[in-house]
């Protein structure tokens, strides 16, 4: 294996960049060429069908069967002209990945084969529900499940060198109607948020007909040569190095961030972007991230539902294109210890049908009171449901990242910036006097007791899990491998619920005779006071913040099994049931799935660590120890005194010490895994893994990493950090 490592290094150093696929010079010429866009619809659908479909997309009405049949005919004609031979309902089961079952455009008329694709084929398919996670909603013998077309997310053609497939975004539900995916509840939350936000907008502007959440997802990832991954069972099987000594040089020189992109990586990025453009993903940003071999891409904001579909498609494309370029993309939240992990920053906002961002201050007093209304309600929602927001980002992988030197802590808080903090502090005072002199760079509200809003009102805080960045909130704590629909389901829901409560409270005050603006200000003032504990402007990494957060009553739940309890708290169950998003048993099912995923992922990592210690680390250490002992024996035979081989004896003893600890702990880990199998219920089993298996794995890693530094390089079988992260 050590020889393979040496050969791999030589091969990698001589790899040339792979030329990207040919493409037009202008992005505009290829953007969306494989998407069933509105422009394409106009060509392949009649005017009446096109208008009817747009009404469905814009207003959420039901698709009639006659409309579905006409759309299917147009979609089939377009797809076949583009070279597609099959279609699939593309959905998001609770695995966290996407799923697809391909069917040919085919039916038999007697002995004759003809291309066919009906309205029924478009609207509904029947994949097997029993083999995908359901949290007990479906039994193994109950296999029926349905996918149903989501017209609000455009169909697209997924193209490989070996064929093209028409992909139709869909929801996935059980035979008995429960959601078995991320998209179905997400679409519900979008509608609930729309209604709640429109009702509040009507305090300020009666012309608002619809409010839509928007999202821009920054995606961080690592690229390493695929040969290194092939030589590392842990990277191959779980996307994370479960052992590996820190390199002398990591990211401490701060020279990778925004640095020159390596040529091989640039070629890979270029082709990846081309493939994204062709399926309508509006990527605009690429750059080196902080850690060596870490990178980031980011798109333009889109409607939230489409943005999530595009991010899932983006991850698939990134994996496929990187393999073509002889890379392996690592989307794990912490693939390498000692350096930064990867996140997926969700930049969320809400906009009206007229295009107004409700999280942007305006020039008119009414606009700024509206801005403060939505802004303060979001902070209030975060405060009330902080533990649920922690639960939705919890995973075995993200536990390694949260609270490290590049990611927000496990304590949920909101950063809003100095100027907005001052504004809320002033609003909190019941008898605030207007400032005599208002700086020119402030927006005048013209409403008594409301301070002026600075146009450029906030810096950015990398340590905050939920930061306001000017006209949006950035949920930074989401993990890089996550489906963003999960966090957005929660965020949409808690904000919608809060807006509903806000409107009820204001309406009650108005009915009692208080003027509308005064009622709004009074309620907002109460919310500012009640939610003050969730606001934090300082360093989220500091020990002082942990202590302060505890005094504020904020949770600091560092491990997933306990964090997930918030999913099934009384407060969460009532929240989702009252909004019509999840019934109680659906939420319990999702909790069970998340707990089970945690157990399985930790178990896989533990089994891999045992294999790597017993098959690689311990044999390599013994082999090198034998070499050193042979040298000692040769020196003894030559009549040399012990002081001549004291260094060799020290090496042998050090290897023996670490081997003894490693062997004992590996045996202990094996026994613990057997014990874990018998622990029940499942939540207690997950806690056992978190409290016992995870810390022991950290101990084993210390011994393995110590042995890596003791054993001669030409005896070490596994690729090292310095090779995986720096060999270009």
């Amino acid at each position: 294996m050590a020889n393979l490592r040496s050969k791999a290094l030589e091969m990698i150093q001589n790899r040339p960049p792979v030329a990207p696929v040919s493409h037009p010079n202008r992005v505009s010429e290829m953007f969306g060429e494989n998407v069933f866009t509105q422009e394409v619809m106009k060509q392949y659908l009649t005017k009446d069908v096109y208008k009817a479909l747009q009404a469905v997309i814009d207003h959420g009405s039901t698709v009639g069967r006659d409309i579905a049949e006409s759309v299917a005919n147009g979609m089939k004609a377009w797809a076949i002209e583009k070279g597609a031979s099959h279609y699939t309902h593309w959905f998001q089961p609770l695995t966290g990945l996407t799923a697809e079952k391909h069917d040919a455009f085919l039916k038999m008329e007697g002995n004759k084969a003809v291309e066919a694709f009906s309205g029924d084929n478009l609207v509904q398919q029947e994949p097997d529900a029993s083999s995908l996670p359901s949290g007990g909603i479906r039994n193994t013998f109950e296999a029926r499940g349905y996918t149903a077309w989501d017209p609000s997310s455009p169909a697209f053609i997924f193209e490989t060198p070996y064929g093209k497939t028409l992909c139709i975004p869909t929801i996935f539900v059980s035979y008995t109607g429960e959601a078995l995916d991320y998209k179905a509840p997400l679409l519900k939350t979008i509608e609930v948020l729309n209604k709640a936000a429109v009702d509040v907008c009507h305090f300020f502007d009666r012309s608002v007909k619809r409010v839509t959440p928007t999202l821009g997802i920054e995606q961080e990832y690592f690229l390493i040569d695929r040969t290194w991954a092939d030589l590392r069972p842990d990277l191959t099987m779980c996307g994370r190095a479960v052992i590996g000594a820190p390199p002398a040089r990591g990211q401490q020189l701060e020279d990778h961030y925004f640095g020159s992109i390596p040529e091989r990586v640039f070629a890979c990025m270029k082709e990846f972007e081309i493939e994204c453009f062709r399926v309508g993903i509006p990527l605009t940003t690429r750059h080196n991230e902080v850690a060596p071999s870490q990178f980031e891409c980011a798109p333009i904001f889109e409607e939230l539902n489409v943005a999530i579909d595009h991010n899932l498609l983006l991850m698939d494309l990134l994996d496929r294109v990187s393999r073509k370029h002889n890379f392996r993309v690592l989307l794990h939240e912490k693939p390498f210890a000692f350096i930064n992990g990867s996140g997926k920053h969700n930049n969320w906002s809400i906009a009206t049908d007229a295009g107004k961002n409700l999280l942007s201050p305006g020039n008119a007093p009414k606009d700024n009171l509206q801005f403060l209304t939505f802004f303060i309600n979001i902070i209030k929602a975060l405060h009330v449901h902080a533990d649920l927001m922690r639960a939705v980002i919890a995973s075995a992988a993200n536990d390694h990242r949260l609270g490290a030197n590049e990611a927000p802590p496990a304590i949920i808080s909101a950063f809003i910036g100095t100027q907005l903090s001052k504004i809320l502090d002033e609003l909190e005072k019941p008898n605030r006097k207007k400032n005599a002199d208002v700086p020119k760079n402030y927006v005048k509200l013209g409403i008594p007791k409301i301070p002026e809003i600075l146009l450029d009102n906030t810096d950015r805080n990398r340590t905050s899990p939920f930061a306001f960045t000017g006209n949006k909130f950035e949920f930074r704590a989401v993990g890089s491998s996550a489906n963003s629909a999960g966090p957005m389901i929660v965020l949409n829901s808690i904000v919608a619920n809060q807006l509903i409560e806000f409107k009820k409270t204001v309406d009650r005050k108005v009915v009692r005779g208080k003027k509308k603006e005064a009622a709004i200000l009074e309620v907002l003032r109460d919310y500012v006071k009640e939610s003050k504990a969730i606001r934090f402007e300082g360093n989220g990494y500091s020990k002082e913040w942990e202590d302060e957060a505890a005094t504020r009553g904020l949770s600091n739940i560092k491990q997933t099994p306990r964090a997930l309890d918030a999913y099934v708290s009384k407060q969460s169950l009532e929240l989702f049931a009252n909004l019509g998003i999840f019934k109680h048993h659906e939420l319990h099912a999702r909790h069970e799935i998340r707990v089970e995923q945690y157990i399985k992922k930790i178990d896989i990592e533990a089994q891999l660590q045992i294999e790597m210690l017993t098959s690689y680390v311990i044999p390599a250490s013994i082999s090198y120890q034998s070499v050193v002992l042979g040298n000692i024996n040769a020196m003894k035979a030559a009549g040399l005194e012990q002081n001549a081989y004291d260094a060799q004896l020290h090496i042998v003893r050090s290897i023996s010490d670490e081997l003894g600890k490693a062997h004992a702990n590996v045996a202990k880990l094996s026994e613990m895994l057997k014990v874990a199998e018998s622990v029940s219920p499942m939540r207690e089993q997950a806690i056992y893994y978190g409290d016992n298996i995870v810390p022991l794995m950290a101990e084993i890693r210390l011994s393995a990493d110590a042995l890596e530094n003791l054993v001669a390089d030409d005896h070490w079988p596994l690729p090292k950090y310095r090779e995986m992260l720096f060999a270009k």
Side-chain angles (χ1 to χ4, degrees):
M1 281 294 290
N3 188 40
L4 282 176
R5 199 179 116 226
S6 176
K7 288 181 178 178
L9 181 59
E10 182 180 352
M11 177 181 67
I12 290 164
Q13 288 174 331
N14 292 314
R15 277 201 207 276
V18 175
V21 294
S22 60
H23 61 91
N25 289 327
R26 294 187 178 185
V27 173
S28 59
E29 294 178 21
M30 58 178 154
F31 190 82
E33 67 180 21
N34 281 344
V35 183
F36 197 61
T37 61
Q38 290 190 4
E39 290 73 20
V40 174
M41 290 180 196
K42 289 177 182 177
Q43 297 175 40
Y44 287 86
L45 306 179
T46 67
K47 187 178 293 186
D48 289 343
V49 170
Y50 172 77
K51 285 183 178 179
L53 182 58
Q54 287 308 303
V56 168
I57 295 170
D58 293 340
H59 307 298
S61 52
T62 304
V63 181
R65 287 288 168 165
D66 55 337
I67 298 298
E69 195 67 38
S70 297
V71 173
N73 288 333
M75 198 180 285
K76 178 193 72 173
W78 170 75
I80 290 174
E81 283 182 23
K82 298 288 288 185
S85 60
H86 288 66
Y87 68 93
T88 182
H89 277 199
W90 186 75
F91 61 103
Q92 304 170 29
L94 296 174
T95 57
L97 305 172
T98 57
E100 53 198 61
K101 175 174 73 75
H102 296 197
D103 287 303
F105 291 119
L106 175 67
K107 75 173 183 179
M108 300 301 296
E109 293 183 352
N111 293 324
K112 184 181 179 182
V114 296
E115 280 84 10
F117 180 61
S118 68
D120 288 343
N121 298 144
L122 170 63
V123 169
Q124 184 176 306
Q125 236 184 8
E126 188 185 323
D128 190 333
S130 65
S131 299
L132 291 165
S134 72
I137 287 175
R138 302 296 287 161
N139 294 307
T140 303
F141 60 85
E142 295 173 318
R144 195 183 296 276
Y146 297 112
T147 50
W149 177 35
D150 170 19
S152 64
S153 187
F156 59 92
I157 290 174
F158 196 91
E159 183 174 347
T160 76
Y162 311 105
K164 299 179 181 180
T165 304
L166 172 66
C167 296
I168 303 159
T170 63
I171 65 169
F172 178 44
V173 297
S174 73
Y175 177 72
T176 45
E178 295 93 347
L180 297 177
D181 70 340
Y182 285 96
K183 183 184 276 283
L186 180 72
L187 293 175
K188 288 182 182 180
T189 68
I190 290 171
E191 286 307 311
V192 169
L193 178 59
N194 164 51
K195 186 178 186 309
V198 166
D199 286 347
V200 172
C201 281
H202 285 174
F203 282 142
F204 311 97
D205 183 356
R206 300 293 300 181
S207 69
V208 174
K209 295 184 176 65
R210 186 167 185 82
V211 171
T212 304
T214 62
L215 188 65
I217 305 174
E218 303 168 37
Q219 178 71 57
E220 295 175 338
Y221 60 93
F222 280 82
L223 281 180
I224 65 169
D225 192 281
R226 66 183 301 178
T227 304
W228 295 135
D230 291 341
L231 293 174
R232 295 273 315 207
D234 47 1
L235 292 179
T236 298
M237 300 301 290
C238 62
R240 179 173 92 88
V242 298
I243 60 173
R249 175 185 169 190
Q251 62 190 51
Q252 65 267 45
L253 295 179
E254 301 174 330
D255 56 347
H256 187 67
Y257 190 56
F258 280 15
S260 177
I261 300 171
E263 284 191 6
R264 279 186 63 204
V265 174
F266 187 89
C268 180
M269 284 181 170
K270 183 69 176 175
E271 181 159 351
F272 163 62
E273 289 171 347
I274 291 167
E275 295 302 328
C276 285
F277 293 149
R278 297 179 72 195
V279 290
I281 301 174
L283 279 188
T284 58
T285 302
R286 63 184 180 214
H287 64 82
N288 290 1
E289 252 301 331
V290 172
S293 289
Q294 187 186 31
F295 307 94
E296 181 179 301
C297 62
I300 296 172
F301 279 66
E302 301 179 273
E303 288 190 10
L304 187 145
N305 178 39
V306 175
I308 289 171
D309 283 359
H310 279 169
N311 181 255
L312 292 168
L313 180 55
L314 178 152
M315 290 194 290
D316 193 348
L317 289 169
L318 187 53
D319 180 64
R320 292 170 186 262
V321 172
S322 64
R323 290 178 187 274
K324 176 182 174 181
H325 286 255
N326 296 306
F327 286 113
R328 170 77 185 273
V329 64
L330 301 176
L331 291 169
H332 192 284
E333 282 71 7
K334 195 77 171 179
F336 301 104
F338 318 113
I339 60 174
N340 281 14
S342 297
K344 191 194 299 274
H345 304 158
N346 282 230
N347 295 280
W348 177 92
S349 191
I350 41 179
T352 70
D353 51 309
K356 177 174 176 54
N357 185 341
L358 294 171
L359 294 180
S360 288
N363 294 319
K366 179 182 66 175
D367 292 338
N368 286 302
L369 182 56
Q370 180 175 262
F371 160 74
L372 283 176
T373 295
F374 281 94
F375 180 79
I376 292 168
N377 271 281
I378 292 166
I379 300 296
K380 170 69 171 170
L382 183 72
H383 181 245
V384 173
H385 298 283
D387 286 353
L388 182 58
M389 289 286 276
R390 169 66 182 96
V392 79
I393 53 160
S395 70
N398 219 16
D399 281 356
H400 294 293
R401 168 180 167 264
L402 292 178
N405 64 328
E406 84 291 352
I411 305 164
I412 296 297
S413 66
F415 168 85
I416 65 173
T418 304
Q419 295 297 333
L420 283 168
S421 292
K422 288 179 180 178
I423 288 169
L424 297 197
D425 289 344
E426 285 294 307
L427 181 61
E428 193 178 341
K429 300 173 184 177
N431 296 309
R432 179 190 171 273
K433 295 180 180 179
K434 292 282 289 182
N435 293 332
D437 298 314
V438 179
K440 291 181 180 179
N441 58 346
Y442 281 76
V443 176
K444 295 183 180 181
L445 283 162
I447 301 174
K449 302 182 181 179
I450 297 292
E452 292 73 25
I453 297 177
L454 187 64
L455 287 172
D456 186 10
N457 50 37
T458 181
D459 193 0
R460 300 183 73 186
N461 187 330
R462 293 176 61 84
T463 72
S464 175
F466 195 75
F468 185 68
T469 57
N471 59 2
K472 60 188 180 298
F473 279 96
E474 182 180 21
F475 195 9
R476 294 181 56 85
V478 181
S480 53
S481 67
N483 182 333
S484 289
M488 293 303 103
I489 287 168
V490 169
L491 182 54
N492 288 348
S493 298
I494 66 173
V495 172
N497 187 68
Q498 183 56 48
L499 292 173
I500 291 168
E501 290 302 311
F502 171 77
K503 185 176 186 303
K504 287 179 182 176
T505 307
V506 172
D507 285 345
R508 281 197 298 268
K509 290 180 179 291
V510 171
V511 167
R512 292 168 187 165
K514 191 164 291 267
K515 289 185 177 180
K516 181 179 69 175
E517 286 181 356
I520 290 171
L521 290 172
E522 192 173 288
V523 176
L524 292 180
R525 182 176 292 114
D526 290 341
Y527 286 176
V528 169
K529 292 176 183 177
E530 293 162 3
S531 62
K532 198 167 186 177
I534 205 73
R535 289 162 37 203
F536 179 63
E537 304 299 302
N539 180 7
Y541 299 157
S542 67
K543 177 64 169 65
E544 290 77 11
W545 169 229
E546 283 198 27
D547 296 338
E548 183 182 339
T551 65
R552 294 186 184 193
L554 301 180
S555 300
N556 185 11
I557 309 170
K558 295 187 176 181
Q559 283 193 329
T560 289
R562 292 181 176 89
L564 292 176
D565 288 347
Y567 259 112
V568 289
S569 68
K570 181 181 179 182
Q571 179 176 262
S572 296
L573 290 167
E574 289 179 355
L575 166 76
F576 288 112
N578 291 342
L579 294 176
I581 309 302
F582 295 120
K583 296 174 183 175
H584 287 189
H585 72 284
E586 290 179 293
L587 209 54
H588 277 286
R590 285 168 192 260
H591 173 261
E592 181 177 315
I593 289 168
R594 296 284 297 280
V595 170
E596 186 176 17
Q597 286 173 340
Y598 176 86
I599 292 168
K600 288 178 176 178
K601 288 184 178 180
I602 298 297
D603 190 75
I604 289 169
E605 290 188 0
Q607 300 288 358
L608 279 165
Q609 194 178 58
I610 291 170
E611 177 190 347
M612 293 180 74
L613 266 289
T614 56
S615 299
Y616 297 90
V617 173
I618 292 174
S621 301
I622 292 171
S623 175
Y624 179 62
Q625 190 179 48
S626 298
V627 171
V628 179
L629 283 170
N631 178 264
I632 292 170
N633 291 332
M635 295 179 82
K636 284 181 180 179
L640 296 177
E641 298 293 329
Q642 181 174 328
N643 61 358
Y645 47 84
D646 273 346
Q648 290 91 322
L649 284 170
H650 178 73
I651 291 171
V652 169
R653 291 191 186 104
S654 297
I655 291 175
S656 291
D657 288 345
E658 295 299 341
L659 275 174
K661 287 188 282 187
H663 184 268
N665 279 332
V666 165
K668 186 178 178 182
L669 181 58
S670 296
E671 289 304 312
M672 279 189 172
L673 290 174
K674 292 176 184 176
V675 171
E677 291 178 4
S678 62
V679 176
S680 63
M682 192 181 293
R683 177 186 178 274
E684 297 306 313
Q685 187 181 31
I687 289 173
Y688 181 87
Y689 270 90
D691 289 350
N692 298 282
I693 304 295
V694 171
L696 184 55
M697 289 177 65
E699 282 187 47
I700 293 171
R701 178 173 194 140
L702 289 175
S703 294
D705 294 355
L707 288 167
E708 181 179 329
N709 287 324
L710 287 168
V711 173
D713 188 71
D714 61 352
H715 281 68
W716 194 254
L718 297 166
K720 298 186 175 184
Y721 269 38
R722 69 166 185 266
E723 296 160 341
M724 293 187 287
L725 296 173
F726 290 98
K728 307 299 183 187

